[in-house]
């Protein structure tokens, strides 16, 4: 996303029937044009991506609908009216936009009786036999089917429009073919026999590339929010697997996205963090880094020894540092009783009243860091008689 692109806005439109009357309570979904149907998961585990871009929305009493702003991209809107009719609204191509709010107005679309298509699939390297168990789907929708034992396939209840038919086969390597098809209202379109061969349809996949992690040093009990960037030149990022190897123990995190929070141990250790990313064709890319977890206690400084008159106010200039964290508490013992009479979460600089009896007193400051480690420092306070 560019620095000027808006993150707020909407996509609006309206549905009517063939007589121009509003289509009320029609259910619509917004799909990324590269969306692959989730049913592919049952056929080929690695050949899936995310589902619909947004949850379903319903048209109101005027046939109007509104989607939340999806960001830059190309999308399809597919809907179904209460009586079962379906509608495809032409692909929406949203480019970079600026401003605080943007409304993309589609206009009015007419709901019509759906159509469909059917065809047969053959693979050259399999002796010309019909190819079974090949996946066929319409890009940017959830319309999906699998070819039967004779290589026949069909897709029904499809709204009128122009689509890209994608065919996947895993029998003779990973083969893919794309065909532009037109669906007419109330008709089943017959395709010519679809031939696939290794010479022209074999997909030679390139593994994803992962970046964004770096070696680091932290303190015990710290939590890091990891964020990686994964790219794939010829596929779609499918899954993220996070592995945290702490002192020889592998901990797999189920967070299946590019971000993952991990709380590190309460004792010093060297950890290996690995994220593996798989694409829609099954290849993986990974990145590993080392995280050193150190005890890293804080350092306290009570300041210089000083001399004050009995019963007068003085300022203690204490401080604390922590190279891998921060100081969250300062505590003060000003009368040598082993108890901290006062504390502060802001600073080690604090004003106190000196004892009424002359003498040399030990003043102690204790600092605590964000990992609950503590450190003490002392200074000598020489209290002299007021007559001096």
């Amino acid at each position: 996303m560019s620095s000027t692109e808006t993150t707020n806005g909407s996509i609006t439109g309206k549905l009517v029937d063939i007589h121009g009357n509003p289509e009320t309570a029609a259910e619509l979904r917004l799909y990324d044009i590269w969306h692959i149907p989730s049913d592919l998961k049952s056929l080929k585990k690695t050949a899936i991506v995310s589902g619909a871009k947004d949850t379903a929305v319903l048209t109101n009493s005027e046939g109007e609908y509104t989607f939340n702003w999806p960001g830059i991209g190309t999308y399809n809107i597919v809907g179904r009216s209460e009586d079962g009719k379906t509608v495809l609204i032409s692909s929406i191509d949203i480019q970079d936009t600026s401003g605080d709010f943007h409304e993309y107005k589609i206009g009015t679309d007419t709901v019509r009786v759906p159509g469909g298509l059917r065809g047969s699939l053959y693979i050259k390297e399999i002796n010309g036999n019909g190819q079974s168990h090949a996946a066929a789907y319409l890009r940017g929708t959830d319309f999906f089917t699998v070819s039967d034992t004779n290589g026949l396939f069909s897709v029904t209840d499809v709204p009128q429009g122009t689509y890209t038919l994608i065919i996947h086969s895993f029998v003779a390597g990973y083969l893919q073919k794309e065909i532009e098809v037109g669906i007419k209202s109330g008709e089943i379109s017959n395709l010519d026999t679809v031939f696939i061969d290794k010479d022209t349809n074999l997909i030679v996949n390139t593994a994803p590339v992962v970046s964004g992690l770096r070696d680091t040093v932290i303190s015990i009990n710290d939590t890091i929010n990891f964020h990686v960037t994964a790219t794939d030149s010829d596929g779609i990022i499918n899954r993220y697997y996070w592995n945290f190897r702490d002192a020889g123990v592998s901990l797999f995190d189920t967070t299946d996205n590019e971000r993952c929070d991990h709380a590190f141990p309460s004792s010093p250790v060297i950890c290996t963090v690995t994220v593996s990313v798989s694409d829609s064709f099954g290849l993986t890319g990974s990145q590993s880094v080392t995280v050193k977890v150190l005890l890293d206690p804080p350092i306290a400084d009570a300041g210089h020894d000083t001399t004050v008159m009995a019963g007068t106010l003085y300022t203690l200039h204490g401080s604390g540092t922590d190279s891998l964290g921060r100081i969250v508490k300062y505590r003060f013992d000003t009368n040598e009783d082993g108890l901290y009479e006062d504390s502060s979460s802001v600073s080690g600089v604090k004003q106190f009243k000196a004892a009424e009896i002359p003498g040399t007193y030990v003043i102690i400051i204790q600092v605590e860091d964000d990992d609950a480690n503590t450190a003490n420092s002392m200074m000598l306070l020489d209290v002299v008689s007021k007559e001096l």
Side-chain angles (χ1 to χ4, degrees):
M1 179 180 292
S2 74
S3 60
T4 60
E5 183 195 349
T6 182
T7 57
N8 297 306
S10 62
I11 296 176
T12 61
K14 182 176 181 178
L15 290 183
V16 298
D17 62 20
I18 59 175
H19 304 293
N21 299 315
E23 281 283 353
T24 63
E27 182 180 283
L28 299 103
R29 290 184 182 275
L30 183 68
Y31 291 93
D32 189 294
I33 193 66
W34 296 108
H35 165 71
I36 297 176
S38 58
D39 287 343
L40 267 175
K41 185 174 183 179
S42 62
L43 181 72
K44 182 70 173 178
K45 182 179 179 181
T46 58
I48 62 168
V49 293
S50 61
K53 186 73 176 179
D54 206 344
T55 56
V57 299
L58 298 178
T59 55
N60 61 20
S61 59
E62 299 299 321
E64 300 166 337
Y65 59 88
T66 301
F67 283 100
N68 293 328
W69 188 247
I72 293 174
T74 304
Y75 306 94
N76 282 341
I77 294 179
V78 178
R80 183 181 301 276
S81 60
E82 279 192 305
D83 60 1
K85 297 185 181 71
T86 55
V87 62
L88 168 71
I89 297 174
S90 301
S91 296
I92 308 164
D93 189 19
I94 299 176
Q95 301 299 321
D96 193 7
T97 57
S98 59
D100 296 329
F101 187 90
H102 186 79
E103 184 178 19
Y104 193 102
K105 296 182 179 180
I106 295 174
T108 301
D109 287 271
T110 303
V111 176
R112 302 181 185 277
V113 175
L117 63 88
R118 60 189 172 203
S120 56
L121 173 65
Y122 288 83
I123 295 181
K124 180 179 178 181
E125 285 76 12
I126 314 298
N127 300 319
N129 295 325
Q131 176 57 50
S132 63
H133 297 94
Y137 65 93
L138 301 180
R139 172 176 287 166
T141 77
D142 259 341
F143 293 105
F144 167 85
T145 189
V146 176
S147 61
D148 64 16
T149 55
N150 296 312
L152 301 176
F153 63 90
S154 63
V155 183
T156 59
D157 197 29
V158 182
Q160 178 173 297
T162 301
Y163 300 85
T164 300
L165 174 67
I166 309 293
I167 297 176
H168 289 299
S169 175
F170 309 98
V171 175
Y174 192 95
L175 306 179
Q176 175 177 306
K177 190 164 187 174
E178 300 184 8
I179 305 170
E180 293 298 318
V181 296
I183 304 296
K184 295 182 178 180
S185 175
E187 297 182 12
I188 300 296
S189 301
N190 289 299
L191 297 179
D192 294 332
T193 300
V194 179
F195 289 95
I196 300 181
D197 65 81
K198 286 186 176 181
D199 294 335
T200 57
N201 303 120
L202 181 65
I203 300 296
V204 180
N205 186 27
T206 302
V209 177
V210 188
S211 62
L213 297 182
R214 60 184 178 84
D215 295 337
T216 188
V217 179
I218 62 172
S219 183
I220 61 172
N221 298 319
D222 279 353
T223 296
I224 296 181
N225 175 257
F226 294 95
H227 182 201
V228 297
T229 299
T231 58
D232 195 305
S233 60
D234 56 3
I236 302 172
I237 300 302
N238 185 5
R239 297 293 303 273
Y240 293 81
Y241 304 90
W242 292 88
N243 183 323
F244 299 90
R245 191 170 182 82
D246 302 344
V249 179
S250 289
L251 302 174
F252 291 91
D253 198 294
T254 57
T255 302
D256 188 19
N257 59 52
E258 69 276 10
R259 295 182 181 273
C260 185
D261 293 338
H262 184 70
F264 285 85
S266 57
S267 57
V269 69
I270 296 179
C271 304
T272 301
V273 179
T274 302
V275 58
S276 299
V277 178
S278 63
D279 66 12
S280 52
F281 298 129
L283 286 187
T284 60
S286 64
Q287 185 185 18
S288 296
V289 293
T290 298
V291 177
K292 294 182 179 180
V293 183
L294 305 181
L295 183 60
D296 185 42
I299 299 174
D301 184 0
H304 297 293
D305 297 342
T306 189
T307 300
V308 298
M309 295 181 63
T312 60
L313 295 177
Y314 69 94
T315 300
L316 175 62
H317 294 276
S319 63
T321 59
D322 192 312
S323 60
L324 297 177
R326 59 189 179 88
I327 304 301
V328 298
K329 183 71 73 173
Y330 299 84
R331 300 182 181 92
F332 307 93
D333 177 10
T334 59
N335 57 12
E336 301 185 32
D337 62 357
L339 301 176
Y340 296 102
E341 297 85 23
D342 207 341
S343 65
S344 170
S345 59
V346 178
S347 169
V349 178
K350 202 167 183 65
Q351 194 173 61
F352 294 96
K353 184 177 181 180
E356 297 289 347
I357 301 175
T360 300
Y361 295 84
V362 177
I363 308 298
I364 298 175
I365 180 175
Q366 181 184 81
V367 295
E368 179 180 330
D369 67 13
D370 51 357
D371 295 314
N373 298 314
T374 60
N376 292 353
S377 179
M378 71 175 191
M379 53 89 71
L380 297 179
L381 182 67
D382 190 15
V383 179
V384 299
S385 174
K386 292 181 180 181
E387 286 75 13
L388 296 178

